[in-house]
């Protein structure tokens, strides 16, 4: 079926678990159109000019929040931003009351980030608006995985059979969960790599291969995605690995790896801990496509907002 005939029937973007391979490919295909718009002298379209969107951020965010807001403004939406640190949440208001109050203001779409897994699902029960998950605890971060897959497609248009390594703090990462779900649906081969202590307990349930050897993994892969060591989610880090320096020694990607294995490209969802996941020169090298990920993030979020708004692309 051609992309123009495809019936996209999703109401929300809660996670990639609920999206079929065809849904994912369709969002990525639509994102190509919006990526081109971003290169125009006036990178704006009126697609969402009659829509009101609230961005509800209960957890810190730089890239994701700015990227969603930019995507919404590039499409002419009315945007309101809510940040937990400056709201009545501090006065004890519950999430349900907050969202029902916001909803009484006639909101069409809600973008939500929260430290508790399942909050985006909960919101679908409380309000009528389309809900987009911008990260819920260590559960899912679907727009990040979509922008990662879009960036991978720029390198390898067909991801089927491509070898993707995801390296680092697997157990605390929502980015890896969404990527594994999406990439395996597209037929990519995924290896997760890191110390045993940063692997989830039920690692075999993820349905991907596991490696504890960085060199072997880099020799194998087409693309290596490094993940941030999530110090804020780990509690007492000394129980998980001795020092950040030792982590870098064993699992940090370094210039010597770029020389030894000349083919793989490097990705990172940000924020990077320079000198931990990546040697600083590696992050700045021409093998890294990290800033492309950020640019593509705006286009992918434009595509998701457009598809879930039920409107016309214009
Ligand atoms: C990620 C997140 O918040 O889950 N970052 C992002 O959205 N760009 C990864 C991280 O925090 O390390």
């Amino acid at each position: 079926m051609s992309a123009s005939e495809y019936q996209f029937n999703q109401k929300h973007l809660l996670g990639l678990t609920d999206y079929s391979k065809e849904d994912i490919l369709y969002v990525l295909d639509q994102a190509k159109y919006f990526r081109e718009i971003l290169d125009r002298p006036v990178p704006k379209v009126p697609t969402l000019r009659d829509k009101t969107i609230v961005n509800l951020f209960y957890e810190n965010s730089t890239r994701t929040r700015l990227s969603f807001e930019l995507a919404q403004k590039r499409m002419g939406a009315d945007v309101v931003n809510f940040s937990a640190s400056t709201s009545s949440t501090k006065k004890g208001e519950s999430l349900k009351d907050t969202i029902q109050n916001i909803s009484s203001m006639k909101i069409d779409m809600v973008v939500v980030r929260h430290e508790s897994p399942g909050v985006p699902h909960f919101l679908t029960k409380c309000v009528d608006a389309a809900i987009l998950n911008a990260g819920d605890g260590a559960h899912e971060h679907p727009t990040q995985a979509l922008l990662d897959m879009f960036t991978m497609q720029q390198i390898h248009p067909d991801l089927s059979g491509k070898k993707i390594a995801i390296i680092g703090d697997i157990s605390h990462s929502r980015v890896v969960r969404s990527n594994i779900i999406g990439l395996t649906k597209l037929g990519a081969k995924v290896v997760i790599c890191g110390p045993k202590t940063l692997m989830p307990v039920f690692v075999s349930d993820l349905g991907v291969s596991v490696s504890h050897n960085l060199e072997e993994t880099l020799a194998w892969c087409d693309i290596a995605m490094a993940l941030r060591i999530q110090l804020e989610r780990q509690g007492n880090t000394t129980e998980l690995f001795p020092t950040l320096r030792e982590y870098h020694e064993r699992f940090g990607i370094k210039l010597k790896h770029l020389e030894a294995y000349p083919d793989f490209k490097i990705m990172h969802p940000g924020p990077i801990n320079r000198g931990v996941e990546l040697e600083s020169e590696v992050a700045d090298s021409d093998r890294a496509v990290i800033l492309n990920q950020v640019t593509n993030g705006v286009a992918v979020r434009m595509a998701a907002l457009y598809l879930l708004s039920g409107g016309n692309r214009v």
Side-chain angles (χ1 to χ4, degrees):
M1 187 190 288
S2 78
S4 58
E5 290 163 14
Y6 186 69
Q7 276 295 321
F8 181 82
N9 287 323
Q10 299 285 348
K11 285 201 169 60
H12 307 287
L13 178 52
L14 305 178
L16 293 188
T17 316
D18 314 317
Y19 275 47
S20 66
K21 173 183 175 182
E22 289 70 28
D23 288 335
I24 293 172
L25 288 173
Y26 191 61
V27 179
L28 297 177
D29 197 59
Q30 296 295 310
K32 282 189 205 146
Y33 164 79
F34 291 105
R35 181 66 191 77
E36 277 162 28
I37 287 176
L38 295 179
D39 287 334
R40 289 183 189 168
V42 182
K44 284 199 137 199
V45 279
T47 313
L48 298 180
R49 75 187 144 199
D50 55 345
K51 303 290 178 200
T52 306
I53 306 177
V54 60
N55 295 315
L56 277 184
F57 278 77
Y58 284 87
E59 225 191 36
N60 292 346
S61 173
T62 308
R63 259 158 304 273
T64 307
R65 191 170 56 78
L66 290 179
S67 173
F68 263 114
E69 194 175 335
L70 201 57
Q72 293 152 0
K73 290 186 169 160
R74 295 269 186 254
M75 299 168 92
D78 289 324
V79 180
V80 268
N81 289 310
F82 166 101
S83 131
S85 54
T86 54
S87 69
S88 287
T89 308
K90 286 272 175 239
K91 299 180 188 169
E93 186 170 58
S94 74
L95 175 64
K96 188 171 177 184
D97 282 335
T98 303
I99 192 75
Q100 280 179 339
N101 276 278
I102 293 174
S103 197
S104 313
M105 301 174 199
K106 303 269 178 276
I107 299 290
D108 299 294
M109 306 177 95
V110 179
V111 175
V112 61
R113 169 171 284 199
H114 201 282
E115 62 274 14
S116 301
V119 162
H121 295 73
F122 171 70
L123 293 187
T124 63
K125 312 269 184 281
C126 311
V127 291
D128 223 7
I131 310 289
L132 289 91
N133 181 0
D136 59 334
H139 179 226
E140 277 226 43
H141 192 354
T143 57
Q144 179 67 44
L146 286 165
L147 77 88
D148 292 336
M149 290 187 277
F150 185 91
T151 307
M152 291 176 196
Q153 280 186 330
Q154 288 180 325
I155 305 165
H156 302 290
D158 181 2
L159 293 179
S160 169
K162 287 290 165 288
K163 293 179 263 181
I164 314 295
I166 308 181
I167 300 155
D169 187 351
I170 307 295
S171 56
H172 299 93
S173 173
R174 51 195 172 206
V175 175
V176 76
R177 282 183 54 82
S178 290
N179 263 293
I180 288 174
I181 295 164
L183 284 166
T184 51
K185 283 183 181 176
L186 299 195
K189 294 182 188 154
V190 182
V191 164
I192 49 175
C193 174
K196 288 197 176 90
T197 48
L198 293 181
M199 292 290 163
V201 182
F202 301 109
V203 68
S204 57
D205 292 355
L206 295 174
V208 294
S209 307
V210 180
S211 167
H212 304 296
N213 184 317
L214 179 67
E215 277 71 25
E216 273 175 24
T217 303
L218 295 179
W220 168 84
C221 70
D222 297 310
I223 295 173
M225 185 194 298
L227 297 175
R228 185 173 67 88
I229 297 296
Q230 310 244 335
L231 293 174
E232 78 281 15
R233 296 215 179 110
Q234 288 180 4
N236 187 356
T237 56
T238 52
E239 287 170 9
L240 297 177
F241 51 87
T243 62
L244 287 174
R245 198 170 149 176
E246 186 171 321
Y247 176 84
H248 180 66
E249 273 312 305
R250 285 203 52 206
F251 291 100
I253 304 178
K254 306 172 198 67
L255 276 180
K256 67 175 185 191
H257 296 127
L258 302 192
E259 285 155 21
Y261 315 112
D263 295 327
F264 74 93
K265 299 275 190 211
I266 296 154
M267 296 175 60
H268 193 302
I272 305 171
N273 292 312
R274 283 178 184 257
V276 182
E277 301 97 49
L278 301 178
E279 215 168 54
S280 198
E281 293 79 1
V282 168
D284 298 329
S285 77
D286 58 9
R287 298 273 288 279
V289 292
I290 297 167
L291 293 176
N292 302 11
Q293 287 174 264
V294 179
T295 311
N296 294 338
V298 179
V300 163
R301 290 177 173 118
M302 287 170 86
L305 289 162
Y306 150 66
L307 289 171
L308 296 170
S309 72
N312 297 319
R313 196 159 72 180
V314 191

